[in-house]
Amino acid sequence: MDFLKLSQDAYDASSAFLDTNHRSDFEYSLRAFRNEHAAGSKYLTEEYKSRSRIFRPKTRSIIRKNEAAAMQAAFSNKELVVVEPGNPDDLMSVASAAAMKEVMEYRLSKTIPTFELYLGGIQDAQATGQVISYQYWKYEQKNGKKIDQPCIELRPIENIRLDGGADWIDPVNTSPYWCDIIPMYVCDVRGMMKQKDKDGKPKWKTYDDAVIQKAR
């Protein structure tokens, strides 16, 4: 089975669905957040070239107010999470809940930029109506240093591809594929192409710089 062709077909089909049904809405929302007229507006034509290309930031000011209210509600308490035991009469359950709370408090305040992620998620949800995050555990060893911690990353809505026939209530679990477009530096791409598996075979397809330049 040619998995590379299946991946390309999935990307092409999902991109066509996104361009046809949602991209114009995303662009309209993001331009409104940046105080810019929508694409195709008469204020962007030659007849209105002497007029201002921006408008009063009502959309942005409303989103900023909602962000401030949400951040106040989320961080007005010193404790980020509340963990309660399932059985208050069980000493092991109480101790387990207390330990779990301390671990989560440490992770959310030390290794995960909770404030920035929360604010960014609210802004995405307000601007485009959707927010997407990717949770994973990062473990790597490099130059004698070890990274072993949970990570949360926000994904731009336009960089996610799903099948158009997925259930709108649960699109992630019902879509037959998930495309996560991650921008990368050329040096990182070259490094990945040099990686090999246990059998000594390259993990990634190797391309020269001319082919990589076309991806831009």
Side-chain angles (χ1 to χ4, degrees), residues 64 84 89 157:
R64 291 300 191 197
E84 297 179 350
D89 297 328
I157 185 65

Side-chain angles (χ1 to χ4, degrees), residues 48-197:
Y48 289 83
K49 64 180 181 180
S50 59
R51 297 284 191 91
S52 174
R53 297 298 179 95
I54 60 177
F55 54 84
R56 294 181 64 185
K58 290 295 184 180
T59 302
R60 194 181 189 92
S61 62
I62 292 174
I63 291 178
R64 291 300 191 197
K65 289 180 180 179
N66 293 338
E67 289 175 0
M71 299 304 286
Q72 183 179 8
F75 295 95
S76 59
N77 193 337
K78 292 183 178 180
E79 296 182 347
L80 295 175
V81 295
V82 176
V83 181
E84 297 179 350
N87 183 6
D89 297 328
D90 185 3
L91 295 180
M92 289 299 295
S93 180
V94 174
S96 178
M100 181 62 68
K101 180 180 184 304
E102 292 299 323
V103 172
M104 293 185 66
E105 287 282 352
Y106 174 81
R107 290 299 188 185
L108 293 173
S109 59
K110 300 296 183 181
T111 60
I112 297 175
T114 307
F115 185 89
E116 292 82 355
L117 288 170
Y118 197 87
L119 182 60
I122 293 172
Q123 187 175 111
D124 283 350
Q126 292 283 311
T128 64
Q130 302 177 62
V131 57
I132 298 176
S133 65
Y134 175 57
Q135 291 73 233
Y136 65 100
W137 195 276
K138 185 176 184 180
Y139 180 84
E140 63 180 28
Q141 291 180 323
K142 185 182 295 184
N143 299 328
K145 296 182 179 180
K146 182 173 70 173
I147 300 177
D148 186 12
Q149 63 186 38
C151 292
I152 301 176
E153 297 177 358
L154 295 179
R155 293 289 197 256
I157 185 65
E158 64 272 12
N159 285 359
I160 300 300
R161 300 289 189 272
L162 295 172
D163 182 65
D167 188 354
W168 67 275
I169 297 179
D170 189 11
V172 175
N173 291 321
T174 57
S175 175
Y177 55 82
W178 169 276
C179 299
D180 187 3
I181 303 174
I182 303 175
M184 298 180 64
Y185 292 106
V186 174
C187 59
D188 294 334
V189 176
R190 292 171 179 165
M192 293 179 68
M193 290 190 298
K194 294 180 181 179
Q195 295 182 10
K196 297 182 179 180
D197 56 20

Side-chain angles (χ1 to χ4, degrees), residues 198-213:
K198 297 180 180 179
D199 298 330
K201 297 180 180 179
K203 292 183 177 180
W204 308 89
K205 287 185 175 293
T206 303
Y207 296 100
D208 54 24
D209 291 346
V211 177
I212 297 176
Q213 289 292 334

